[in-house]
Amino acid sequence: MINFAQARNDMVQKQLVARGIRDPKVLSALGEVPRHLFVDESLRDEAYDDNPLPIGEGQTISQPYMVAIMTELLGLRDSDRVLEIGTGSGYQAAVLSCICQWVYTIERFPFLSERARRITSVCNYRNISFRVADGTQGWPEEAPFDGIIVTAGAPRIPKTLVAQLAPGGRLIIPVGNRFSQTLKRFTRRDDGDTIESFTGCRFVDLVGEHGWSPSFFSEWQH
Ligand code: SAH
């Protein structure tokens, strides 16, 4: 049995600080959230490794560095409300909940959403709302959001999500083909929207009306 607190601290230093993550709020959130509780018991000892891990339904919990850089790019303030598409394990939602006012998170698989709800509640993260739906539609009843984070790979930036950004709001999303994407930040500004590109990455598919269509083969493979 490994020392999880020690492993988490090493993760922050060697995977995040060493690669240029600087936001103290992001470093402290990843230094606090017990990532090992968000993976299957059989994978706990690997929870702080430098890679994604399977979480069931053919989906993955993202690599710690990817969680950190996406969170840092959101540039969150305490008072911000954030929408996440792709709840998965609930880990990214827990990290966000440490550094903003409220997190709204959408997952298409009921099983994953239910499990994430249970774990975050056990860990006492109270400022998260869960929904099972196609997240490419956003969450219109709660819009606009100061930040939107899409944790699955998209063919293009969904217009529906852009429309749910507050003025000054940021949307972080991996955009590309099904095998590799580029992390993008869309910022809504009165004097003209901007799109910036960051690191290359590889995410599971964003499947939905404004994402990829469900392919029989990939769903069947899972
Ligand atoms: N943020 C997650 C990583 C999840 S992997 C974590 O911290 O563990 C991406 C997730 O996006 C998968 O669970 C997948 O089922 C979900 N997903 C894909 N397309 C979706 C859509 N249109 N709406 C909601 N969730 C979606």
Side-chain angles (χ1 to χ4, degrees):
M1 180 80 126
I2 66 168
N3 177 338
F4 292 120
Q6 181 62 50
R8 193 156 56 241
N9 194 47
D10 284 355
M11 172 193 89
V12 169
Q13 293 308 321
K14 293 180 189 155
Q15 300 174 36
L16 311 185
V17 174
R19 292 191 186 124
I21 301 295
R22 289 283 172 268
D23 186 336
K25 286 190 255 176
V26 174
L27 294 172
S28 104
L30 275 105
E32 272 167 34
V33 178
R35 182 171 163 97
H36 59 283
L37 299 181
F38 291 81
V39 300
D40 189 78
E41 234 173 312
S42 63
L43 293 173
R44 284 214 174 138
D45 287 357
E46 295 166 56
Y48 297 95
D49 291 358
D50 194 11
N51 45 255
L53 290 170
I55 55 171
E57 308 279 11
Q59 309 303 320
T60 54
I61 177 174
S62 306
Q63 177 194 24
Y65 175 69
M66 201 44 70
V67 173
I69 191 167
M70 291 178 89
T71 310
E72 187 168 75
L73 287 172
L74 275 172
L76 293 174
R77 281 179 229 133
D78 299 352
S79 56
D80 282 352
R81 295 162 66 253
V82 176
L83 172 67
E84 179 194 27
I85 316 302
T87 312
S89 67
Y91 176 71
Q92 172 78 69
V95 167
L96 291 168
S97 82
C98 297
I99 54 187
C100 70
Q101 192 199 101
W102 206 272
V103 182
Y104 300 85
T105 184
I106 309 179
E107 169 58 52
R108 59 190 284 264
F109 288 108
F111 164 77
L112 294 177
S113 182
E114 229 3 89
R115 193 177 57 187
R117 196 188 293 251
R118 205 167 53 239
I119 297 164
T120 48
S121 138
V122 166
C123 296
N124 225 7
Y125 299 111
R126 300 278 174 209
N127 51 339
I128 309 176
S129 303
F130 295 85
R131 172 182 253 190
V132 175
D134 171 11
T136 67
Q137 309 279 10
W139 194 322
E141 301 85 346
E142 296 294 347
F145 300 97
D146 305 295
I148 301 181
I149 175 173
V150 180
T151 63
R156 67 195 77 82
I157 297 178
K159 297 214 165 30
T160 38
L161 297 183
V162 167
Q164 293 180 28
L165 278 177
R170 291 81 57 199
L171 164 65
I172 312 298
I173 181 168
V175 179
N177 61 39
R178 292 180 111 138
F179 304 101
S180 79
Q181 303 93 33
T182 304
L183 200 56
K184 306 241 178 204
R185 175 165 63 190
F186 179 103
T187 306
R188 186 162 188 180
R189 291 185 210 277
D190 292 340
D191 56 348
D193 301 335
T194 60
I195 301 180
E196 301 155 277
S197 291
F198 298 91
T199 176
C201 49
R202 181 172 187 172
F203 279 82
V204 297
D205 290 351
L206 178 72
V207 177
E209 191 176 338
H210 303 280
W212 299 101
S213 37
S215 97
F216 171 73
F217 179 66
S218 68
E219 297 286 306
W220 165 80
Q221 235 183 355
H222 304 156

